[in-house]
Amino acid sequence: MKESLRRFKAEVFQALAHPTRIAIVEALRDGELPAGKLIEKLGLEQANASQHLAILRAKRIVVNRKAGNQVFYTLRDPVLIEVLDVLRRYFYSHLTDTLSLLEEIGDESGAIAIKAEVPAK
Amino acid sequence: MKESLRRFKAEVFQALAHPTRIAIVEALRDGELPAGKLIEKLGLEQANASQHLAILRAKRIVVNRKAGNQVFYTLRDPVLIEVLDVLRRYFYSHLTDTLSLLEEIGDESGAIAIKAEVPAK
DNA sequence: TCATTATATTCGAAAACTCGAATATACGTA
DNA sequence: TACGTATATTCGAGTTTTCGAATATAATGA
């Protein structure tokens, strides 16, 4: 049914609708990482990271594997990286509008600096 | 800055993280539609539709044009349709896991029926 | 001007999300 | 067994979303 599919898509979007979770997905881009490395790499609170990972697990965005002491996370399907890449292009192709959007949202960081470095990565 | 980009992506995902808004985007797939047609086509409450449209507007997912009495909506960038299509494929390629996910979420509709009709559209 | 139609906005309540603090669990090792 | 490390879960407060009901606005036509 059409409805299920929409619900499913909404669930996936919902799962990705947080900067931290996006950061996690991006960090897993090049392969498996233990929770600890993610926390370190992204500078997260341990509990907070675990909560976000729980969400990504629940929505099947990531899968995990226990190895002794630690838990390794992997993206279940790299297609999600493609989605993020599409959005990056989307971001830059509408750069002007996007910047004003970020302003409205209240973007503290130097979003304007992007203008200087331009795309790349 | 990396952070802005993630924030931006999160905003877009957030905007799409609702079945009704996904339905709206899909309905605009083949071009412009006035709000009224969207309401009719999707069977929405007028106020509710307007609220969701406001969100899609705020996040620049759609743009609108006034013509006399009515307001026509268009997708700002059809690349978003691609994203939805990618997710449809994702949905089917993990069908088994996905179904159990939908169950957990509490999917009333006949999700299982999908097994019968399979992909297509 | 007064209706009528199309759409948007505001309001208040219920539900869902997010965070850090505290606590729990599981494994490895002394 | 007792301890340390890695990770997960629970709790409560604050914030954000979502909805329908009511109301507002804008354009059209009588």
Side-chain angles (χ1 to χ4, degrees), chain A:
Chain A
M1 225 248 197
K2 213 72 190 295
E3 175 59 24
S4 305
L5 183 47
R6 278 198 291 264
R7 188 123 42 132
F8 170 78
K9 289 171 181 171
E11 291 285 333
V12 173
F13 285 131
Q14 169 68 28
L16 296 174
H18 193 288
T20 299
R21 295 196 291 271
I22 291 178
I24 290 173
V25 170
E26 287 176 345
L28 294 178
R29 186 187 193 103
D30 302 317
E32 197 179 55
L33 278 182
K37 277 283 174 245
L38 282 171
I39 290 171
E40 176 193 326
K41 202 165 173 175
L42 306 176
L44 304 174
E45 289 279 324
Q46 187 274 320
N48 194 232
S50 224
Q51 288 165 357
H52 284 301
L53 285 170
I55 291 171
L56 292 173
R57 247 185 293 127
K59 304 300 177 60
R60 319 287 167 98
I61 306 294
V62 301
V63 294
N64 60 324
R65 152 181 94 83
K66 263 166 245 203
N69 219 1
Q70 33 190 8
V71 180
F72 287 81
Y73 282 89
T74 327
L75 275 185
R76 189 173 64 140
D77 190 329
V79 81
L80 294 176
I81 283 293
E82 277 178 49
V83 170
L84 292 177
D85 285 348
V86 167
L87 286 190
R88 180 156 48 76
R89 270 179 264 121
Y90 177 71
F91 175 89
Y92 287 114
S93 76
H94 296 282
L95 196 50
T96 316
D97 318 324
T98 300
L99 288 178
S100 54
L101 172 61
L102 284 174
E103 263 167 47
E104 281 164 31
I105 292 164
D107 182 45
E108 301 303 319
S109 74
I112 303 299
I114 289 170
K115 261 181 176 162
E117 38 164 298
V118 182
K121 155 83 186 203

Side-chain angles (χ1 to χ4, degrees), chain B residues 61-72:
Chain B
I61 306 295
V62 302
V63 294
N64 60 325
R65 151 182 96 82
K66 262 166 246 202
N69 218 0
Q70 31 190 10
V71 180
F72 288 82

Side-chain angles (χ1 to χ4, degrees), chain B residues 86-101:
Chain B
V86 166
L87 286 190
R88 178 156 48 77
R89 271 179 262 120
Y90 176 72
F91 176 90
Y92 287 115
S93 76
H94 296 283
L95 197 50
T96 316
D97 320 324
T98 300
L99 288 177
S100 53
L101 171 62

Side-chain angles (χ1 to χ4, degrees), chain A residues 101 104, chain B residues 11 14-16 20-21 24-25 28 35 38-39 44-64 71-74:
Chain A
L101 172 61
E104 281 164 31
Chain B
E11 291 285 333
Q14 169 67 30
L16 296 175
T20 299
R21 294 196 292 270
I24 290 173
V25 170
L28 295 177
L38 282 170
I39 290 171
L44 303 175
E45 290 278 325
Q46 187 274 321
N48 194 232
S50 223
Q51 287 164 357
H52 284 301
L53 285 169
I55 290 171
L56 292 174
R57 248 185 291 127
K59 305 299 176 62
R60 318 286 167 99
I61 306 295
V62 302
V63 294
N64 60 325
V71 180
F72 288 82
Y73 283 89
T74 327

